[in-house]
Structure formats: structure tokens, C-alpha cells
Amino acid sequence: MYTIDLSGQVALITGSSRGIGAVIAKRLAAAGASVGINYRSSAADADVTIDEIRAAGGEALRVPGDVSDEGAAEAVVKTTADRLGRLDILVNNAGINRDRLVMRMNAADWDDVLAVNLRGTFLSTRFAIPLMLRQRYGRVVNVSSVVGLSGNPGQANYAASKAGQIGMTKAVAREVGSRNITVNAVAPGFIAVGGDGGMTASMTTEQRAQVLSNIPVGRFGTADDVASAVLYLASPDAGYINGQVLTIDGGLTA
Ligand code: NAP
């Protein structure tokens, strides 16, 4: 049986109190990694995620902080490494959206989304890389989106931030590849997240049918579909994959 063993490794997953990030954290913890659970304000959700990881025998550390804030991002990375002993894996998952057609989009809508999704990815990476360089080992996985590859009406800010993450992934992969650190991105498509189905739950029946007709595998994705890919890219087994974008969309953009 093929299993991924992350025993003795430490992972920080930004935005892991709930949604896709929480599922990624649980999968990495189940593979043996000690995990840092980061979020900005959803402490109750983090409680649930941390309790679940501990109940399953894993180790989870609470590291709240706004990743778009330089001081907070530095503290989140350093606290994780100090308290858990090292830092092998960084998953940049924290993300927000403020959707509007571009002609109605405020500068604040643009700035907020770019700040969390792109500046947050930069800051966490910037503080994690020196630790990984010292260890001569690291895995960075950026959670982008198919919207960063193909765009989507009403999401100019979000698409720009997700495309920016991809450019950054490729640049940093070239900077640190020689030191046994890889940097990759995943680009999920339509993912039904959590109990309410997330973004897909707000669609009308007609919209759902229309979207599903364009997904060759015939279903929306799950957070586990994303977590499986992140787990692999974050593992030692993926050491020769660097600077890549793995699309997880059931064939939507094939
Ligand atoms: P979600 O359920 O809204 O969860 C977002 C997480 O990020 C929460 O833990 C949130 O915690 C945290 N967060 C937000 N701003 C933060 C900040 N400034 N600092 C630290 N943490 C912050 O989102 P999701 O749907 O799981 O999406 C996760 C990632 O996948 C995002 O990057 C998203 O763009 C990407 N993605 C999602 C889909 C989808 O269909 N859901 C598709 C493609 C890509 P707080 O609420 O406490 O801030």
C-alpha cells in the first residue's frame, strides 16, 4: 500500500481553522506531521479543527494572526517553528474574495483581496524560506485557483491575486530549488466546502447544472480532493516537482 509518511515533520497551514485549509491540516496531521493552525478571527472553528486533530492522535498548535500583516506573519511562522521544533512544510491557503464587476469594484475590494491572498503568501513564504534553507529541506504549496489561470467575471481582484501566486511560485521555485526546497501551486476548481457546500451552495439549480455539464468527472470537487494533492506535493516523494501548478478541477479547464 502506498502511504505518505510525514512523521517528525512540521507543517504550517495558513487559513486552516475551517474549509479547505482545515481538511489539509487534518490530512497532514494524519500522515504524521505536527501542524500549525492559523486563522485571523475564527477561533471557534479553530477549536473544532484542533480538537479533531488531537482526538485522532495528532499534534496541533494554535497560531492565530493576520498573514497580510508583516509582524503577524513573521510571528506565526516563528512561533510554529519555535514551538514545534522546525518547519518543513508551508501551505499558503488563507484566502478571501470580494466579488464585484470591475466597474463597481472599490480600491478597498482590490487591496483587501490582494493583501490576504498575494501579500500574505509572500510574507509567510519570506519568513519560512530562511528556516527551510538552514534545514536544507522544505516544501511550499500555494493554494491558488483555476480562476488565476482562466479568469472569471466579477473576480478581477481574486483572479489577479491567484495568478500572482502562480508567478510567485515559479520565481521562488527557481530561487530555492538547489537547496532541496520545492515550491508548487494547486489550482482548485469548483470545490464544495464544509456543511453548507461553500460557494457552490449559493448557486441556483440551473447554475449548478450548467457548471456540472462542463465538469467531465460530473461532480463538484471536495476539500479532500485538494488535500490529497497538497499532501503529495508536500511530501518527500514530490522532490522533483518544482514550480508547477496542479489543476484540481475534474477536467473543467482541460
Ligand atoms: P474559507 O472557508 O473562507 O476559509 C478561509 C480560511 O482563511 C479561514 O480559516 C480564514 O480564517 C482564513 N483567513 C482569511 N483571511 C486570513 C488572514 N488575513 N490571515 C489568516 N487567515 C485568514 O475558504 P476556502 O473556501 O476553504 O478556501 C481556501 C483557499 O482555497 C483560498 O485560498 C481560496 O481562494 C482557495 N480556493 C477555494 C475554492 C473553493 O471552491 N472553495 C476554489 C479554488 C481555490 P478567518 O475567517 O479567521 O480569517
Side-chain angles (χ1 to χ4, degrees):
M1 191 177 75
Y2 176 68
T3 50
I4 289 172
D5 183 6
L6 300 179
S7 313
Q9 295 203 18
V10 173
L12 168 63
I13 304 95
T14 69
S16 50
S17 56
R18 59 187 160 85
I20 294 171
V23 176
I24 293 171
K26 286 185 244 180
R27 288 290 293 279
L28 296 183
S34 300
V35 296
I37 302 296
N38 162 259
Y39 55 94
R40 179 161 48 181
S41 56
S42 53
D45 291 330
D47 286 343
V48 174
T49 301
I50 289 170
D51 286 350
E52 282 182 21
I53 290 170
R54 290 179 181 160
E59 183 175 15
L61 175 73
R62 178 191 301 274
V63 275
D66 179 351
V67 293
S68 69
D69 178 276
E70 188 173 11
E74 182 172 20
V76 166
V77 171
K78 290 205 160 149
T79 303
T80 304
D82 289 349
R83 297 273 303 279
L84 298 176
R86 49 188 290 124
L87 185 64
D88 303 282
I89 298 163
L90 169 66
V91 182
N92 284 305
N93 168 82
I96 61 168
N97 61 304
R98 302 269 184 274
D99 299 350
R100 277 171 206 262
L101 293 176
V102 74
M103 64 182 181
R104 298 199 187 112
M105 190 174 283
N106 308 320
D109 297 329
W110 177 272
D111 291 345
D112 289 352
V113 170
L114 270 289
V116 177
N117 300 7
L118 189 54
R119 179 181 157 92
T121 297
F122 156 66
L123 288 171
S124 304
T125 304
R126 185 255 171 272
F127 293 116
I129 289 292
L131 306 175
M132 293 176 173
L133 284 174
R134 252 177 264 145
Q135 293 167 184
R136 288 196 163 256
Y137 182 85
R139 297 278 181 266
V140 179
V141 184
N142 295 322
V143 181
S144 178
S145 167
V146 290
V147 171
L149 295 167
S150 49
N152 200 26
Q155 294 196 304
N157 49 0
Y158 184 79
S161 72
K162 294 294 170 181
Q165 279 184 316
I166 290 170
M168 195 188 134
T169 297
K170 291 174 181 288
V172 183
R174 289 177 186 275
E175 287 185 23
V176 297
S178 67
R179 308 293 276 278
N180 205 17
I181 302 169
T182 62
V183 187
N184 291 290
V186 293
F190 285 94
I191 307 298
V193 193
D196 65 354
M199 190 170 75
T200 56
S202 57
M203 292 177 178
T204 63
T205 309
E206 292 73 31
Q207 284 170 330
R208 288 172 71 88
Q210 217 273 321
V211 169
L212 283 171
S213 71
N214 287 315
I215 301 176
V217 305
R219 64 171 177 84
F220 293 119
T222 65
D224 257 309
D225 288 325
V226 180
S228 298
V230 172
L231 174 62
Y232 175 65
L233 291 173
S235 76
D237 291 11
Y240 205 57
I241 301 172
N242 193 24
Q244 300 304 307
V245 184
L246 180 55
T247 299
I248 308 162
D249 67 355
L252 175 73
T253 57

